[in-house]
């Protein structure tokens, strides 16, 4: 599989490792159709090789074809250069921007990574009318403070989505345990009662791996309790406290999952955890849409998805975590800003995103709010719809600083293993956050 490079790719694939292949450099975009300005430079993270199909050439990939269509339509040539497939992309952009030689357009990891180069970025809300703005999800991921109401601080354009993290489950096992699989989960306490029924049936209720148990599951309830993207941003800056009673309650509830979960979640690969679900040894796991094809293949009609339950009555109702893992940026120094924006709008248009989805390169999912039913499997379409809802919270571990994310992972494992309680876990997060502010 080939993919748009994303900090979230390992998360989205729920444990299936995918390496980003080198992208095509120096693509001209085809012959000029006349009348266009430019050329514009595009620093790209799109893959144009496929390790599973060596016969495919760079021009066979969607990004190359989309560039050719853009040039034919506008006459604007696009010069493409590959970005590194890791955080070095930001070193490259920062260095070039200081020398005023940055790209017109680049696609990069979103969240705190994108915001680390904020001084070099053109504010983008001014280029999108309300209809165009509403057609895209994930604006919080490209906004300083992660609150898109601050329209002057929108410094990028959300580029696709990694979807929502959801429950993946075996409906047959759930029903055999006496649980109505069509009506759950609801609130957290009711869901726990259902997990108890599944456990009494002799089936392991939950199977979670080292990313799923904390960055998919815990972070969902942390985000609900914190109040969504602005609340997560406030935790990162210190305006809010991890020891807020609602967050302590959500953390305490998360730790209740230990009695229903296969042992060793913090050290189990997510792909191994999912195999328990596929093999019928566990009823439920947590992951993203890219796990659905294998879920469907192994479980057939018993394959099902659901949102995680609401962790508390005062949190974000129906909130999930996931969303935009990458974004387009325009350099503040660009001499071709209108052309750069036109190129971004072309790539994110409904027609191009439908083409992208049809190739299978998109992961899945696409990030437009106005696309329905673009995938063959209704479960994938459901997860796509959840991923673009306003209640979706952009990945907390792309919002928190890298040091705080590492601390979250370390302390979460101690809490899960019973070495510290919820209050101590959260107190340590406050201390780490304050030390690195």
């Amino acid at each position: 599989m080939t993919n748009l490079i994303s900090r979230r790719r390992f998360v989205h694939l729920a444990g299936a490792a995918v390496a980003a292949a080198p992208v095509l450099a120096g693509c001209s975009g085809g012959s000029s159709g006349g009348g266009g300005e430019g050329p514009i430079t595009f620093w790209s993270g799109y893959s144009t090789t496929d390790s599973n199909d060596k016969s495919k050439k760079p021009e066979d990939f969607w990004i190359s074809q989309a560039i050719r269509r853009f040039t034919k339509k506008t006459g604007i040539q696009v010069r493409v250069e590959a970005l590194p497939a890791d955080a070095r992309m930001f070193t490259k952009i920062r260095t070039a921007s200081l020398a005023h030689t940055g790209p017109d357009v680049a696609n990069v990891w979103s969240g705190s990574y994108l915001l680390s180069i904020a001084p070099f970025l053109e504010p983008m809300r001014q280029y999108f009318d309300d209809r165009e703005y509403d057609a895209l999800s994930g604006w919080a991921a490209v906004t300083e403070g992660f609150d898109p109401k601050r329209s002057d601080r929108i410094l990028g354009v959300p580029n696709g989505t990694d979807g929502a993290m959801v429950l993946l489950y075996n409906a047959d096992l759930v029903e055999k345990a006496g649980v109505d699989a069509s009506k759950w989960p609801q609130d957290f306490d009711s869901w726990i009662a259902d997990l108890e029924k599944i456990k009494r049936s002799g089936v392991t209720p939950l199977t979670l791996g080292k990313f799923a148990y904390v960055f998919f599951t815990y972070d969902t309830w942390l985000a609900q309790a914190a109040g969504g993207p602005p609340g997560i941003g406030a935790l990162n800056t210190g305006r809010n406290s991890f020891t807020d009673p609602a967050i302590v309650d959500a953390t305490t509830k998360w730790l209740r999952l230990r009695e229903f979960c296969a042992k060793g979640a913090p050290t189990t690969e997510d792909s191994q955890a999912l195999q328990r679900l596929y093999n019928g040894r566990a009823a439920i796991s947590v992951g993203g849409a890219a796990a659905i094809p294998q879920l469907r293949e192994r479980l057939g009609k018993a394959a099902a998805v659901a949102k995680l339950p609401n962790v508390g009555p005062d949190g974000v109702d129906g909130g999930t975590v996931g969303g935009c893992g990458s974004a387009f940026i325009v350099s503040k120094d660009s001499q071709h800003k209108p052309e750069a924006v036109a190129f971004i709008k072309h790539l994110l248009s409904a027609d191009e995103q439908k083409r992208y989805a049809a190739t299978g390169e998109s992961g899945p999912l696409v990030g437009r709010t106005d696309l329905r039913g673009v995938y063959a499997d209704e479960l994938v379409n459901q997860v796509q719809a959840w991923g673009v809802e306003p209640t979706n919270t952009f990945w907390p571990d792309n919002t928190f600083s890298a040091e705080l994310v590492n601390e979250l992972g370390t302390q979460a494992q101690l809490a899960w293993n019973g070495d510290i309680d919820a209050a101590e876990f959260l107190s340590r997060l406050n201390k780490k956050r304050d030390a690195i502010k």
Side-chain angles (χ1 to χ4, degrees):
M1 179 185 290
T2 54
N3 302 284
L4 175 67
I5 292 173
S6 169
R7 161 74 169 80
R8 303 305 322 175
R9 183 53 49 198
F10 73 94
V11 170
H12 174 49
L13 292 176
V18 175
V23 301
L24 176 66
C27 172
S28 68
S31 60
S32 173
E37 300 290 339
I40 60 174
T41 58
F42 173 39
W43 288 9
S44 174
Y46 286 90
S47 173
T48 54
T49 63
D50 186 345
S51 60
N52 295 319
D53 187 352
K54 302 292 187 179
S55 68
K56 292 184 73 173
K57 300 176 181 179
E59 56 267 28
D60 295 330
F61 288 80
W62 170 79
I63 188 60
S64 301
Q65 296 166 2
I67 289 172
R68 287 199 295 271
R69 286 188 286 266
F70 175 72
T71 297
K72 183 176 181 180
K73 179 174 67 174
T74 66
I76 300 170
Q77 295 282 338
V78 181
R79 288 199 300 257
V80 181
E81 181 176 337
L83 272 174
D86 53 30
R88 291 175 298 164
M89 70 175 72
F90 295 96
T91 302
K92 179 174 180 176
I93 291 172
R94 186 179 294 105
T95 301
S97 297
L98 288 170
H100 304 288
T101 59
D104 294 299
V105 183
N107 68 303
V108 301
W109 296 344
S110 56
S112 57
Y113 294 89
L114 178 153
L115 297 176
S116 71
I117 55 171
F120 309 115
L121 304 182
E122 176 77 357
M124 297 306 296
R125 182 64 175 94
Q126 60 189 314
Y127 296 104
F128 289 78
D129 62 30
D130 290 345
R131 178 186 57 82
E132 293 170 326
Y133 176 87
D134 290 341
L136 300 175
S137 68
W139 290 101
V142 296
T143 307
E144 284 192 327
F146 303 96
D147 183 357
K149 294 178 182 177
R150 300 176 60 191
S151 60
D152 62 321
R153 305 313 299 161
I154 296 176
L155 300 178
V157 183
N159 180 19
T161 175
D162 292 324
M165 289 298 106
V166 298
L167 297 173
L168 311 167
Y169 68 96
N170 185 325
D172 285 348
L173 292 181
V174 169
E175 293 279 1
K176 288 178 181 177
V179 175
D180 186 347
S182 68
K183 294 182 179 179
W184 73 288
Q186 312 105 20
D187 62 277
F188 186 88
D189 290 338
S190 297
W191 187 54
I192 288 293
D194 288 337
L195 294 182
E196 290 174 342
K197 290 181 181 179
I198 296 170
K199 186 176 181 179
R200 288 197 298 269
S201 75
V203 174
T204 299
L206 281 171
T207 174
L208 300 173
K210 61 184 180 182
F211 294 123
Y213 93 106
V214 58
F215 296 123
F216 304 173
T217 305
Y218 176 65
D219 276 1
T220 294
W221 293 323
L222 174 63
Q224 287 182 5
I232 292 295
L235 286 174
N236 189 53
T237 61
R239 295 195 311 274
N240 288 354
S241 172
F242 281 99
T243 54
D244 178 89
I247 296 176
V248 175
D249 180 64
T251 306
T252 302
K253 288 178 175 176
W254 165 68
L255 291 172
R256 292 193 63 188
L257 299 188
R258 293 175 295 187
E259 62 183 288
F260 305 105
C261 191
K263 294 185 182 301
T267 56
T268 299
E269 295 296 330
D270 287 67
S271 57
Q272 294 174 329
L274 283 168
Q275 286 301 320
R276 297 190 188 107
L277 173 66
Y278 301 149
N279 294 335
R281 293 165 50 207
I284 311 159
S285 191
V286 177
I292 290 174
Q294 190 171 4
L295 183 75
R296 180 69 82 184
E297 179 183 350
R298 300 293 291 276
L299 300 184
K301 293 182 179 179
V305 298
K307 283 188 179 182
L308 275 77
N310 293 329
V311 76
D314 300 322
V316 176
D317 184 45
T320 59
V321 295
C324 170
S326 30
F328 289 115
I329 57 170
V330 172
S331 296
K332 186 174 287 186
D333 287 337
S334 171
Q335 299 301 303
H336 306 289
K337 291 173 185 173
E339 294 79 18
V341 172
F343 178 56
I344 292 171
K345 289 183 178 181
H346 169 75
L347 294 181
L348 295 179
S349 67
D351 286 345
E352 285 297 338
Q353 289 295 293
K354 286 178 182 177
R355 288 188 174 106
Y356 191 25
T359 66
E361 297 176 39
S362 63
L365 298 157
V366 296
R368 291 187 62 96
T369 59
D370 58 355
L371 293 183
R372 299 288 186 272
V374 295
Y375 298 104
D377 195 314
E378 68 271 17
L379 298 184
V380 178
N381 289 318
Q382 178 62 79
V383 175
Q384 189 231 357
W386 287 334
V388 299
E389 286 180 345
T391 56
N392 185 286
T393 294
F394 173 63
W395 304 102
D397 59 311
N398 263 25
T399 303
F400 296 143
S401 66
E403 297 94 331
L404 188 55
V405 171
N406 290 337
E407 187 75 1
L408 173 61
T410 298
Q411 301 303 330
Q413 183 169 351
L414 291 174
W416 187 268
N417 291 340
D419 298 318
I420 57 176
D421 62 14
E424 179 63 21
F425 168 32
L426 297 168
S427 176
R428 291 184 182 187
L429 293 183
N430 273 340
K431 291 177 181 177
K432 182 65 174 182
R433 186 266 324 280
D434 294 342
I436 61 180
K437 279 173 56 177

